[in-house]
Amino acid sequence: MIKWIIILLIVAAAASLLGMPALAGAAATGARVLIGIVLIIFLLIVLGVFAVT
């Protein structure tokens, strides 16, 4: 999952350097969505651990 976030951020950076704002925006949005999913999963795991203990 983190690998895909890094790939999308690289694509966004390359697209912005090459002058493709639409592709850069789409890749950045995809990276934000993946980061959000990772944070939600992380929070659920942390809260689950605290709920068990």
Side-chain angles (χ1 to χ4, degrees):
M1 189 73 111
I2 293 173
K3 175 182 72 174
W4 288 110
I5 294 172
I6 293 170
I7 290 170
L8 282 171
L9 290 174
I10 291 170
V11 169
S16 64
L17 285 174
L18 294 171
M20 291 184 273
L23 180 60
T29 303
R32 279 193 207 105
V33 169
L34 285 177
I35 290 169
I37 292 170
V38 169
L39 285 176
I40 290 170
I41 293 170
F42 178 73
L43 284 173
L44 286 175
I45 292 170
V46 168
L47 290 174
V49 168
F50 277 122
V52 170
T53 55

